[in-house]
Amino acid sequence: MNMNDIIIKKRDGGTLTQAEIRWFIKGYTEGDIPDYQAAAFLMAVYFQKMDKTETFELTNAMRYSGDTIDLSGIRGIKVDKHSTGGVGDKTTLIVAPLAAACGVPIAKMSGRGLGFTGGTVDKLESIPGFRTSMEPEAFLRQVNEIGISVIGQTAHITPADKKLYALRDVTGTVENLSLIASSIMSKKLAAGSDAIVLDVKCGHGAFMENRQDAEKLGEIMCEIGRAAGRRTVAVITDMNQPLGHAVGNSLEVIEAIETLKGKGPADITALSMKLAGIMIYLGGRVKTAAEGEIMARQALESGAGLAKLESFISRQGGDAGVVTDYSLFPQAALTREILADKNGFVHAVDARAIGAASQHTGAGRATKEEQVDLSAGIVVHKKVGDKVSKGESLASVYTGSRSRLTNAEKEIRGAFTLSDEKPEVPELVKEVLGL
Ligand code: URA
């Protein structure tokens, strides 16, 4: 086989065979195919698209490009959860302990983020002492003993995706349905859980800006999951404004703790109940997702979810004192309030601009090598539909230097649109697919 022929075939709208896709993935993973040919291939896929069979084949080729995790040593139905990425999305930190408190084993591998904020692993590392790497035996033992473990994805899982995702990130080829679906699902399938709940974000702060595309992405990921024998549900949710108030690593952990104390923002609480409810249902603890939601709420109200978070933190070496004393988190050197310059209602809080501002504070990384500032970020005080008076704080910025503060402030001011009329608040959960 010849890479140039494969690129030309896709460039001209052809359908690739299983053998061609497997050959490309193997060759690229092993370093036999150079980045410039892989980049040309990705751009051809971006414009010509892949059909369903090609997308399935690409997923499988990437899934088996490295190690796969065997979770059969863990008792019960293991349920994984994944978000396609949003601004202020800290739901894993809430739903994982809630579902675990309800008897659903959570053996989760998470990533570090590129872009707006860190990923779940970075957020967890803002807890002093918290360890996100562990030997496989210890990982399985912890889930059997306390019902939950979340660790960083090892380098040996889906190495093909690791290389390709990094290349897509710098070649304008991220936003393609087949490439996103195969990237996410290859990792989820390799990670070994029996069922998967996907939070597919839709809106200006997400890869999929419109609902139709988000639904298509959700549908294809559900099909890939089911074809691999995993029960898979996709929830389509709004990402036009940030989720909750906090954007940034330690700031998001604090908001997740507040939510588990029953004092979280309404949107993040509602979405967490929905996702945890589906996880509890897929985990076989109840007969319907609605019953799962009731069970999740009980675990929230009884404090069982918070207690599970505390034992999870302690077990992974973290200081569980953070649950009651937020001063134990890294503290930002500088803070500033961004004040409203007129009266009105918040018409929009542009999630993408808040995400960019968060990156300016140092909370996100632009390249894999960059360190994130775990104390940095933004707390958005006013959300769509809220009334604002001139001089009231729209947002607080937390960062480490004056230049970062100035850049973030400019971006945050541009993110807010105020109007005289109270606007409609966008629906948070738009649809559930695959239940
Ligand atoms: N998240 C992933 O893991 N891969 C993508 O392609 C997009 C989001």
Side-chain angles (χ1 to χ4, degrees):
M1 250 178 251
N2 174 315
M3 192 59 206
N4 199 35
D5 292 344
I6 293 178
I7 295 168
I8 290 170
K9 184 173 179 186
K10 190 35 88 185
R11 183 200 68 189
D12 294 344
T15 305
L16 301 175
T17 63
Q18 178 190 71
E20 286 165 335
I21 291 171
R22 287 189 182 177
W23 182 85
F24 162 64
I25 290 298
K26 184 167 184 301
Y28 186 57
T29 311
E30 291 175 358
D32 298 334
I33 294 168
D35 277 349
Y36 56 82
Q37 285 191 311
F41 172 81
L42 291 170
M43 193 55 87
V45 170
Y46 181 88
F47 282 113
Q48 293 292 356
K49 306 188 171 36
M50 280 184 153
D51 68 16
K52 208 180 275 179
T53 311
E54 289 174 295
T55 308
F56 280 28
E57 292 301 346
L58 181 61
T59 309
N60 265 330
M62 293 204 292
R63 171 184 175 183
Y64 293 113
S65 62
D67 293 349
T68 54
I69 307 291
D70 178 6
L71 297 181
S72 60
I74 299 172
R75 295 179 292 275
I77 304 170
K78 280 74 69 183
V79 183
D80 202 349
K81 176 257 166 196
H82 183 84
S83 157
T84 59
V87 180
D89 187 1
K90 69 284 289 172
T91 51
T92 293
L93 303 170
I94 303 161
V95 300
L98 279 176
C102 295
V104 180
I106 305 292
K108 187 164 170 48
M109 290 200 174
S110 283
R112 292 185 192 279
L114 267 182
F116 301 149
T117 60
T120 300
V121 164
D122 298 296
K123 290 171 196 175
L124 286 169
E125 283 178 355
S126 72
I127 300 168
F130 196 97
R131 286 189 306 268
T132 54
S133 66
M134 208 185 281
E135 290 303 316
E137 302 74 41
F139 177 59
L140 299 197
R141 198 177 330 114
Q142 180 175 322
V143 182
N144 271 330
E145 287 175 11
I146 68 161
I148 179 169
S149 181
V150 181
I151 58 172
Q153 194 184 301
T154 73
H156 311 297
I157 293 180
T158 58
D161 174 63
K162 216 159 270 143
K163 275 186 88 175
L164 277 177
Y165 195 13
L167 189 62
R168 286 166 57 211
D169 214 37
V170 292
T171 55
T173 50
V174 170
E175 295 89 350
N176 171 273
L177 202 81
S178 295
L179 296 178
I180 297 175
S182 58
S183 165
I184 292 173
M185 291 307 290
S186 62
K187 290 187 282 256
K188 294 289 109 184
L189 296 175
S193 281
D194 305 301
I196 303 157
V197 179
L198 301 162
D199 181 357
V200 181
K201 302 291 184 192
C202 152
H204 197 49
F207 292 124
M208 295 294 146
E209 292 212 21
N210 68 62
R211 181 158 171 182
Q212 259 175 345
D213 287 343
E215 281 172 7
K216 273 196 220 155
L217 179 61
E219 270 159 21
I220 188 142
M221 291 198 290
C222 285
E223 281 186 57
I224 294 170
R226 276 197 297 273
R230 313 286 171 87
R231 293 184 74 189
T232 308
V233 172
V235 185
I236 313 292
T237 67
D238 183 71
M239 188 31 72
N240 281 300
Q241 64 172 336
L243 188 59
H245 297 291
V247 181
N249 300 289
S250 62
L251 297 171
E252 293 192 34
V253 180
I254 292 170
E255 189 165 85
I257 294 170
E258 284 289 292
T259 305
L260 285 169
K261 288 178 180 171
K263 297 186 285 186
D267 59 351
I268 197 108
T269 304
L271 180 57
S272 298
M273 293 302 106
K274 176 64 85 185
L275 295 171
I278 296 170
M279 291 171 77
I280 293 164
Y281 163 63
L282 292 180
R285 311 304 297 177
V286 289
K287 295 219 163 47
T288 64
E291 286 177 46
E293 226 173 302
I294 293 169
M295 201 174 188
R297 191 161 286 283
Q298 283 164 351
L300 182 85
E301 286 168 2
S302 68
L306 184 67
K308 187 59 78 181
L309 178 75
E310 283 184 274
S311 57
F312 159 53
I313 292 174
S314 304
R315 183 65 186 257
Q316 290 192 217
D319 183 350
V322 292
V323 167
T324 45
D325 182 359
Y326 299 150
S327 73
L328 295 172
F329 283 102
Q331 303 292 313
L334 298 171
T335 66
R336 180 175 291 172
E337 299 302 313
I338 311 298
L339 307 180
D341 54 11
K342 61 176 187 181
N343 296 332
F345 290 94
V346 178
H347 190 80
V349 188
D350 183 335
R352 191 169 288 256
I354 294 290
S358 153
Q359 203 171 350
H360 288 317
T361 66
R365 51 169 82 72
T367 63
K368 269 192 305 195
E369 293 70 32
E370 236 175 89
Q371 289 281 328
V372 289
D373 176 350
L374 295 170
S375 68
I378 297 157
V379 175
V380 171
H381 301 300
K382 298 288 180 182
K383 305 258 314 231
V384 174
D386 287 349
K387 198 168 181 203
V388 181
S389 305
K390 186 175 174 183
E392 245 189 304
S393 179
L394 296 171
S396 309
V397 188
Y398 298 81
T399 189
S401 78
R402 297 227 162 264
S403 61
R404 286 189 177 283
L405 204 57
T406 310
N407 288 339
E409 174 167 3
K410 209 182 302 160
E411 199 83 50
I412 294 169
R413 288 205 175 278
F416 279 87
T417 310
L418 302 187
S419 63
D420 295 335
E421 304 277 303
K422 186 173 162 72
E424 284 220 356
V425 179
E427 190 186 18
L428 179 62
V429 176
K430 299 183 186 302
E431 206 170 334
V432 181
L433 305 170
L435 255 188

